[in-house]
Amino acid sequence: MKDVHIGVIGLGNVGSGALTILAANAEQIALKLGFRLRVAAVCSRSVHSLTLPDVPAGALRTEDWRQVVAHPDVDVVAELVGGTTVANQIIDGAIANGKSIVTANKELMALCGAEIWDRAIKANINLAMEASVAGGIPIHAVLREGISGDRIVALAGILNGTSNYILTEMERRGESFDKILVEAQELGYAEADPSADVDGYDARSKLAILSALAFGERITPSDIFVEGIRRITAQDFDYAHQLGHTIRLVCSAQQTERGLILAVRPALIRQSTILAGVKGAYNAVWVKGQFGADTFYYGRGAGSQPTGVAVVSDLMRVAREIRSGSPERVSPFAHERLGEYKPVSITLQHRPYYLRFRVDDRPGIIAELAGILATKHISLEAVLQLPSDTKHDLPFVITVEPSSEQALREAVEQMSRLSFLREPPLALPMEPPL
Ligand SMILES: NC(=O)c1ccc[n+]([C@@H]2O[C@H](COP(=O)([O-])OP(=O)(O)OC[C@H]3O[C@@H](n4cnc5c(N)ncnc54)[C@H](OP(=O)(O)O)[C@@H]3O)[C@@H](O)[C@H]2O)c1
């Protein structure tokens, strides 16, 4: 069978990882496919200053991505640039030239995946995006094929390796968020501007894509509730441990009678759960199906080679489909609800909550806080206070029985005005065992 030719645009972490694997596994890939994957063109603005040992001598090396998407030999374009501007133009250009596409771009696919997929179907090409969520975990294949016979009712994941690294290091060493963040930046685990990771936006894009695949709803990322990890302290882990829990940035999607509830937020999860064992830069996704019950997927969420494997596996799948003449027919986005869908507000969620206070100590504080909770019909479960050096900045924790998020928010808002509080209370949901 004729070889399939690849054009790789973007030669950074992911692009270079994919090229290394394509070269190192060339024979094995040919045996698995029955034909070869050949790199016909590579592109980045600095391509001429790069040493590219894994690129065949005859391949086009260009600074201009337009030459790749228009290259007559290229069958599949790998968009590994990232962002939403040039990447979008590359995908437009590839579709216009009838080239199939493999992308690792979560941001773009979360924002316009549904439209891109519709255009790919109309253009009779193939499209794949496994690397866009949880790099090394083949979760798209799981949702589109492995358990596609089931009906998904809930999904929860740890989808941002940087945040997970920071939280698990804070937990392990009892250090502050700021200190671990600086270390993570020095080690190259966190960007100079860490906002996308630690404020939850990167995880939100991934949750939007996974929810679209799992529930068939077309979701706008900005409709998903998001809260980052900046306010978590080492002491929160001490309190969480006392309660038999730990803290992770949890991405959750839950199908309820009223619709989907979606959130990215730090939450307490039981230490005995499988998700609590996900440490460092690892990612994990837990999926609950109506018929098949629980399945769990774990692996590296990022990195040149784990993500490179996802890209190469996508290239192989797309190449197989090209050679068997089966272009995309059904979008993995929005198979249930074609219009744009708004998730149900998180304020309808019922959970037990962990409330952490920092107060300037004086008599009657607990009574005052309990009084506010009582007016919102929230029942107090426990009060915890670890020894502290100072009475002027005393941390303690109240946990409450399952309550509506709406009532809890109103209570927190009222509490935030109390003069003895050093900062507004930190409220974290305590997730049910996964
Ligand atoms: N890093 C990971 O572990 C990981 C994991 C999962 C998914 N992803 C996704 O994979 C994509 C790539 O990420 P990355 O980490 O590999 O990024 P990266 O290391 O910054 O690489 C981006 C590449 O794109 C090239 N580029 C930028 N603008 C270009 C343009 N106008 N024309 C041609 N080339 C251009 C850059 O080179 P020049 O500056 O020389 O042009 C560079 O080679 C992103 O969508 C990211 O979200 C990454």
Side-chain angles (χ1 to χ4, degrees):
M1 220 183 267
K2 258 176 69 185
D3 296 344
V4 167
H5 292 87
I6 316 290
V8 178
I9 309 178
L11 308 174
N13 289 312
V14 180
S16 62
L19 287 171
T20 302
I21 295 162
L22 282 168
N25 279 355
E27 296 307 319
Q28 197 199 300
I29 291 170
L31 287 173
K32 284 179 178 167
L33 288 175
F35 54 86
R36 283 186 177 275
L37 287 187
R38 291 198 190 275
V39 176
V42 294
C43 165
S44 89
R45 291 163 305 183
S46 58
V47 69
H48 297 300
S49 60
L50 300 175
T51 40
L52 297 166
D54 299 319
V55 175
L60 169 74
R61 293 163 196 241
T62 173
E63 295 164 358
D64 182 3
W65 58 264
R66 290 171 191 79
Q67 292 189 3
V68 179
V69 300
H71 195 298
D73 291 346
V74 168
D75 301 298
V76 191
V77 171
E79 181 284 301
L80 308 174
V81 167
T84 53
T85 48
V86 176
N88 207 4
Q89 293 165 11
I90 292 171
I91 287 181
D92 276 352
I95 293 177
N97 283 283
K99 314 285 189 200
S100 289
I101 299 157
V102 167
T103 177
N105 195 325
K106 68 209 121 193
E107 215 186 331
L108 184 63
M109 294 315 278
L111 270 180
C112 358
E115 288 81 6
I116 291 174
W117 221 281
D118 286 348
R119 283 191 285 131
I121 290 171
K122 288 197 186 98
N124 273 322
I125 60 160
N126 294 92
L127 183 55
M129 55 171 185
E130 183 65 74
S132 63
V133 178
I137 307 176
I139 189 68
H140 291 217
V142 162
L143 294 172
R144 286 198 79 190
E145 291 165 28
I147 56 170
S148 61
D150 208 341
R151 177 177 285 267
I152 310 300
V153 293
L155 178 154
I158 291 177
L159 299 176
N160 184 268
T162 306
S163 296
N164 206 52
Y165 171 82
I166 293 173
L167 289 176
T168 52
E169 283 301 291
M170 287 171 70
E171 177 171 35
R172 190 170 71 82
R173 288 154 50 193
E175 299 284 7
S176 70
F177 169 83
D178 290 331
K179 179 155 196 260
I180 303 288
L181 172 61
V182 170
E183 277 183 24
Q185 286 168 324
E186 283 165 4
L187 289 167
Y189 293 163
E191 303 281 340
D193 175 1
S195 176
D197 291 321
V198 303
D199 296 324
Y201 300 114
D202 169 85
R204 184 176 73 172
S205 293
K206 294 167 179 171
L207 181 62
I209 297 175
L210 283 191
S211 306
L213 266 56
F215 301 99
E217 311 275 18
R218 185 177 152 188
I219 289 145
T220 305
S222 55
D223 286 337
I224 299 178
F225 175 80
V226 65
E227 185 183 318
I229 61 167
R230 290 183 197 259
R231 289 194 65 199
I232 308 297
T233 64
Q235 246 169 356
D236 288 316
F237 282 101
D238 296 336
Y239 283 115
H241 292 165
Q242 284 217 332
L243 295 161
H245 285 64
T246 185
I247 302 167
R248 297 284 185 267
L249 183 67
V250 177
C251 302
S252 64
Q254 198 197 340
Q255 191 65 274
T256 69
E257 281 173 8
R258 295 161 124 165
L260 259 185
I261 298 183
L262 300 173
V264 176
R265 66 194 319 193
L268 267 73
I269 55 177
R270 294 235 174 113
Q271 278 177 314
S272 55
T273 59
I274 192 163
L275 211 54
V278 178
K279 299 203 171 139
Y282 276 86
N283 279 198
V285 186
W286 164 84
V287 186
K288 191 177 195 68
Q290 185 183 343
F291 301 97
D294 304 271
T295 55
F296 187 79
Y297 311 92
Y298 171 84
R300 291 204 182 269
S304 178
Q305 297 200 351
T307 313
V309 170
V311 170
V312 172
S313 304
D314 268 357
L315 288 168
M316 291 172 68
R317 187 170 70 74
V318 165
R320 224 182 254 125
E321 284 167 354
I322 291 174
R323 282 291 162 262
S324 65
S326 51
E328 296 296 335
R329 288 198 187 87
V330 178
S331 169
F333 287 88
H335 49 266
E336 290 245 331
R337 207 183 303 241
L338 291 169
E340 201 145 317
Y341 173 74
K342 283 220 175 298
V344 174
S345 169
I346 186 119
T347 54
L348 295 175
Q349 196 162 45
H350 257 75
R351 288 276 185 272
Y353 286 87
Y354 163 101
L355 294 168
R356 193 254 295 141
F357 303 91
R358 284 175 57 197
V359 298
D360 191 358
D361 198 21
R362 62 170 214 216
I365 284 181
I366 301 272
E368 208 163 332
L369 295 171
I372 292 176
L373 291 171
T375 62
K376 302 291 171 193
H377 308 290
I378 297 171
S379 304
L380 205 139
E381 165 95 36
V383 179
L384 293 147
Q385 189 176 352
L386 292 167
S388 168
D389 300 339
T390 164
K391 295 268 177 213
H392 299 296
D393 189 0
L394 190 68
F396 68 90
V397 161
I398 293 179
T399 60
V400 300
E401 288 183 0
S403 318
S404 91
E405 173 112 10
Q406 178 61 36
L408 189 97
R409 283 187 188 192
E410 289 169 12
V412 165
E413 157 74 21
Q414 215 171 314
M415 289 168 173
S416 300
R417 294 197 288 268
L418 297 170
S419 61
F420 55 77
L421 280 187
R422 310 269 314 187
E423 62 175 26
L426 172 76
L428 304 177
M430 299 172 76
E431 290 297 317
L434 302 175

